Amino acid sequence: MIALLILPLLLPFALPPLARRALDRLAPAVALRAVTGSAVALAGCSLAALGAFVLTGLLRLPFFAALGDLIQPLHTASDRYVLPLAAVSVGGLAVFAWTLARSVLRQVRAFRAARTEAGHGPAAGDLCVVDSPCADAYALPGRPHRIVVTTGMLRSLDGSEREALFAHERAHNAGGHHYFLAAAELAAHCHPALRGVRDVIRLAAERAADEAAASAVGDRRLTARAIARAALARQGGGAERPAFVPGAASGPVPRRVEALLAPRARRRAGGWVAVLLVACAGVSCVASATGMADFHHRVEVAQGEAER
């Protein structure tokens, strides 16, 4: 059981290099879904493993063993490692809960401030214009979805570049990219190895919106120019926004511009990367499920409800 539950804690370390390779070899929208799904699966399995270690350690203690109606001690293959692993798991879960709570509170405040600011500005359809000298533009989720752009950003772009910028932000809202970014934030708090994956998911979301904007305006070079100028204009700063709110000037802009200007035929086959992502998540899920089933069986044995 111990070995099975350790595996879901080790597999997330394999995801960051796989995620970067997936973004290089797969279409951005496909990479976004594949990497986010794998990150969420690995995060959930690692939490399940930590929880199983905590429960195993607690049931080794007489008080909790009595609460669990155990009539004999709970045995595992490596009893001497159970209590240290349980103590480490408690610490890991406590850190996860603390950092996640702080992040949620901070981002909820930022999201409310952004919605309030967008509500005060003039709107035309889904477009909200905020009077601010700071150049900024982002896709704001909610009911309804909004595209928020400052007057400083509007002054920095010409008419065709504005259309490309708006197409980019609409692609974020249409693709539900805020869900992927929120999932990436959650996964990053579940396991330290998944913090690097969060940046890959953010870049994948921006690349997917770049491609959608280029298709909408019919000009990849124009889209690249609009993104580059928006990023240069935003260097002067901007209001803090939640991590799950995407914007055209986010991420490594030179890499995004290079991808837009590169020939479309340059993309290489990357089906094997998707297979490895699925396999990594699948092995983690199987290992955690098998470990939990073994733990449940050992509890039944300790309760006298099953034979060894």
Side-chain angles (χ1 to χ4, degrees):
M1 182 188 78
I2 299 295
L4 285 172
L5 293 176
I6 286 179
L7 190 57
L9 300 177
L10 298 178
L11 281 172
F13 290 100
L15 189 58
L18 281 177
R20 290 189 290 269
R21 189 61 61 88
L23 186 55
D24 288 338
R25 292 182 173 266
L26 298 174
V30 175
L32 176 62
R33 288 171 172 78
V35 173
T36 305
S38 298
V40 169
L42 290 172
C45 291
S46 65
L47 288 182
L50 291 176
F53 284 138
V54 171
L55 290 176
T56 303
L58 289 177
L59 291 177
R60 297 281 297 171
L61 304 177
F63 175 76
F64 292 100
L67 289 179
D69 296 326
L70 303 189
I71 62 176
Q72 56 182 309
L74 180 68
H75 289 291
T76 65
S78 305
D79 284 344
R80 59 182 174 178
Y81 300 117
V82 169
L83 290 180
L85 284 172
V88 172
S89 298
V90 168
L93 290 173
V95 170
F96 157 70
W98 172 248
T99 58
L100 180 63
R102 290 182 59 190
S103 177
V104 168
L105 289 175
R106 183 175 64 253
Q107 296 194 47
V108 166
R109 286 196 296 265
F111 178 68
R112 287 178 175 174
R115 292 292 299 185
T116 300
E117 184 180 44
H120 290 162
D126 62 345
L127 180 64
C128 294
V129 178
V130 175
D131 186 13
S132 172
C134 295
D136 201 5
Y138 51 90
L140 188 62
R143 295 187 178 178
H145 291 327
R146 296 290 190 189
I147 297 171
V148 180
V149 61
T150 64
T151 53
M153 180 64 81
L154 292 177
R155 286 193 293 266
S156 301
L157 307 177
D158 62 30
S160 58
E161 291 168 347
R162 293 174 189 171
E163 289 303 317
L165 180 72
F166 299 157
H168 175 99
E169 304 301 352
R170 288 191 175 99
H172 279 312
N173 283 333
H177 292 169
H178 49 282
Y179 293 118
F180 295 97
L181 297 181
E185 283 295 311
L186 178 61
H189 288 285
C190 294
H191 196 289
L194 298 178
R195 293 172 187 168
V197 180
R198 173 175 54 188
D199 295 333
V200 177
I201 293 174
R202 287 176 178 169
L203 178 56
E206 294 303 327
R207 285 283 298 111
D210 291 343
E211 294 294 334
S215 297
V217 300
D219 190 335
R220 299 178 66 82
R221 188 169 294 275
L222 168 63
T223 305
R225 187 172 73 245
I227 291 168
R229 293 191 63 182
L232 288 174
R234 195 176 184 271
Q235 284 184 347
E240 180 186 2
R241 57 177 184 253
F244 59 86
V245 172
S250 302
V253 173
R255 182 176 175 184
R256 293 167 52 199
V257 170
E258 181 183 4
L260 281 169
L261 297 179
R264 299 296 297 274
R266 228 176 98 184
R267 187 175 302 282
R268 295 165 289 179
W272 64 270
V273 183
V275 171
L276 286 178
L277 286 172
V278 173
C280 188
V283 169
S284 183
C285 290
V286 170
S288 61
T290 305
M292 293 292 289
D294 183 65
F295 165 74
H296 182 263
H297 174 70
R298 292 177 187 276
V299 170
E300 287 184 330
V301 170
Q303 290 173 334
E305 297 178 3
E307 296 296 331
R308 290 185 182 273

